[in-house]
Amino acid sequence: MGDETHHHVIVGGSAAGISAAVALRRHGFAGNVTVVEAGGELPYERPPLSKALAGGEHAFLHAILPRQAYAEQRITLLSATRVLALDPDRRAVELDDGRTLYADRVLLATGVLPRTLPVPGAELPGVVTLRDVRDARALAARLRAGGPVVVVGGGFIGLEVAAVARGVGLDVTVVETGARPLAGPLGPELAARVTTLHERAGVRLRTGASVSAFIGRTHVTGVRLTGGQVLPAATVVVGIGVRPDTALAEAAGVLCEDGIVVDRHCHTSVPWILAAGDATNQSHPHLPARGRIEHWDNAVRQGAVAGAVLAGVPESHTALPYFYSEQYGRTLQMYGRAAAGDEFVLRAEAADPVDPTDPAGGFLGFWTRAGVLVAAAGLDRPRELRAARALIERRVPVAAAALASPATDLRALAQPAAKAS
Ligand SMILES: Cc1cc2nc3c(=O)[nH]c(=O)nc-3n(C[C@H](O)[C@H](O)[C@H](O)COP(=O)(O)OP(=O)(O)OC[C@H]3O[C@@H](n4cnc5c(N)ncnc54)[C@H](O)[C@@H]3O)c2cc1C
């Protein structure tokens, strides 16, 4: 039996929002649950959008839940509907179709928006970003039409698109302002190995370079770098990061500082409003300082905590940050977050760690702080990384020499602590 007197409204039907709705039911909430989502699709997973672009829509469009699950779990999904405003005094949620919903609590799971480059020509057709399925459809069609492709920004999404475009034989250049792509999250040693993957695949990398303009009359035809050189382009993919979508939160008087500020229970500064996912700025035991985590896994787990809290179960979000990326059929994974001053340890590896034909290939790196493992990343090393995850979570002291040696069984290191805990 439902409870028609209580109603929670979730703004944003993606990783965090849908996870929260499901968790509300899992924790026994019997009232009404409404998810309001501006996009018109059944909520879907974003990670395949950049990895499976060449495979057609059946490859890159995966629903988070089958359609019937919403009815079975009594989750009302209002797709193609945007929340325009929240009124905490009236507990009102104003929709763009003129309706008003009244809610006991609201969860903001509004995510992020792609950053754009403020240079001349940024509005030209052919200069695109990749955030949602409409972007993916448009980009997939562009890749089918041919290159050259210029990717601006060597982050994960940019590099995944570069890998897909090279995979279908297009001419690809990545323009990156830093010394090498991914040096921020992975550090210089591991980033250099990922760079090698791309170079071997034939991607041209322009590092230490920035864009001064996109050129073309009716359509982009080139990218001008600050030094004056022009890279020919039929398509430009701008992947220079995201900004949290805090518009609704700010208008409702919620404290926002580089994201919606939340505690570990997803509470914001306004008691009626919770928040979860990419949009939040969180204090987290595995972050060196308060900050944002822009990963699918975080959004799912933090959303589940928000759902529990809305159902009256006081869970905390402390799950170890985790992300993965797929490039050229290789899987890159990272647990935890490294910070300036951490000691980096590279595990001894094959002479050519990125050689796809070498069964001992791949790489593994660790970061320690005061003798404790805080982060680990690797290519095609899921088993070792799962063991490293346990070490990080349990804060087991580890010696750098043990981490560096391929003879060390990380699972064995984790075990004594597991028995003691
Ligand atoms: C192409 C791509 C590839 C990615 N690959 C990976 C990966 O390999 N690994 C990884 O860990 N992460 C990856 N990510 C990141 C991951 O997808 C995000 O961390 C995750 O989607 C965050 O979920 P979220 O629910 O917080 O927000 P989002 O997924 O951003 O969803 C927010 C939703 O809120 C809706 N919304 C916003 N405002 C309103 C409003 N006013 N009214 C109604 N609806 C609203 C939006 O339409 C949107 O659907 C990728 C992201 C992209 C775009």
Side-chain angles (χ1 to χ4, degrees):
M1 274 294 280
D3 153 17
E4 297 303 320
T5 58
H6 291 99
H7 185 198
H8 294 315
V9 172
I10 297 169
V11 188
S14 182
I18 300 303
S19 174
V22 170
L24 267 162
R25 291 295 180 229
R26 194 167 58 243
H27 290 285
F29 177 70
N32 293 325
V33 176
T34 303
V35 177
V36 188
E37 167 52 47
E41 310 288 334
L42 194 63
Y44 55 88
E45 298 177 0
R46 289 186 204 276
L49 298 183
S50 47
K51 298 166 185 67
L53 265 178
E57 190 147 329
H58 66 278
F60 64 71
L61 185 55
H62 296 278
I64 296 175
L65 294 177
R67 191 174 293 280
Q68 69 273 19
Y70 293 88
E72 283 163 11
Q73 304 202 40
R74 290 195 307 111
I75 297 167
T76 304
L77 176 64
L78 303 180
S79 301
T81 308
R82 181 167 283 281
V83 173
L84 296 180
L86 304 173
D87 181 347
D89 294 334
R90 293 162 55 229
R91 300 198 164 207
V93 180
E94 315 279 358
L95 307 183
D96 65 353
D97 60 9
R99 281 185 293 166
T100 299
L101 305 176
Y102 294 93
D104 292 279
R105 307 293 271 295
V106 166
L107 172 67
L108 290 177
T110 48
V112 290
L113 299 167
R115 285 185 198 277
T116 50
L117 261 186
V119 299
E123 307 302 325
L124 277 172
V127 178
V128 303
T129 55
L130 176 57
R131 184 72 202 167
D132 62 25
V133 69
R134 281 174 314 169
D135 299 336
R137 286 183 185 123
L139 181 55
R142 304 197 67 81
L143 298 184
R144 280 196 297 276
V149 175
V150 175
V151 175
V152 182
F156 288 107
I157 293 177
L159 292 182
E160 288 178 352
V161 171
V164 167
R166 269 312 290 151
V168 293
L170 302 184
D171 179 293
V172 180
T173 305
V174 174
V175 179
E176 160 63 39
T177 49
R180 58 170 51 98
L182 300 183
L186 294 182
E189 289 89 348
L190 301 191
R193 286 160 173 73
V194 179
T195 302
T196 303
L197 266 182
H198 284 272
E199 285 170 342
R200 287 205 190 147
V203 170
R204 272 189 297 276
L205 279 166
R206 299 299 309 263
T207 53
S210 41
V211 171
S212 62
F214 299 115
I215 54 177
R217 278 154 55 87
T218 55
H219 185 280
V220 73
T221 54
V223 176
R224 179 174 290 124
L225 304 181
T226 41
Q229 189 192 354
V230 174
L231 308 173
T235 295
V236 176
V237 183
V238 178
I240 54 166
V242 293
R243 60 186 171 83
D245 188 346
T246 55
L248 272 181
E250 286 180 52
V254 175
L255 177 66
C256 295
E257 281 166 9
D258 185 31
I260 305 171
V261 173
V262 291
D263 67 11
R264 288 183 192 172
H265 309 291
C266 305
H267 292 124
T268 70
S269 63
V270 172
W272 180 63
I273 299 176
L274 284 79
D278 278 16
T280 63
N281 182 301
Q282 51 181 314
S283 136
H284 188 288
H286 290 287
L287 289 188
R290 177 175 267 289
R292 293 195 292 115
I293 305 177
E294 295 158 4
H295 306 319
W296 185 264
D297 185 69
N298 171 75
V300 169
R301 290 170 189 270
Q302 196 184 16
V305 167
V309 170
L310 286 171
V313 179
E315 285 191 357
S316 300
H317 179 53
T318 58
L320 186 64
Y322 166 74
F323 75 75
Y324 66 96
S325 174
E326 281 161 21
Q327 296 168 33
Y328 308 106
R330 319 288 299 264
T331 303
L332 186 67
Q333 294 170 291
M334 182 167 189
Y335 286 102
R337 211 26 110 79
D342 291 345
E343 185 187 348
F344 176 72
V345 181
L346 181 68
R347 179 160 273 214
E349 58 191 13
D352 182 356
V354 299
D355 176 0
T357 62
D358 183 350
F363 57 73
L364 201 51
F366 306 93
W367 289 261
T368 65
R369 202 176 299 157
V372 170
L373 189 62
V374 291
L379 184 77
D380 292 342
R381 294 294 181 86
R383 224 160 41 95
E384 289 100 322
L385 284 167
R386 271 197 303 276
R389 169 195 182 159
L391 289 169
I392 301 170
E393 286 175 338
R394 294 173 194 156
R395 300 179 193 278
V396 179
V398 282
L403 293 172
S405 166
T408 305
D409 178 355
L410 296 172
R411 280 176 309 174
L413 283 185
Q415 255 146 34
K419 281 183 195 134
S421 64

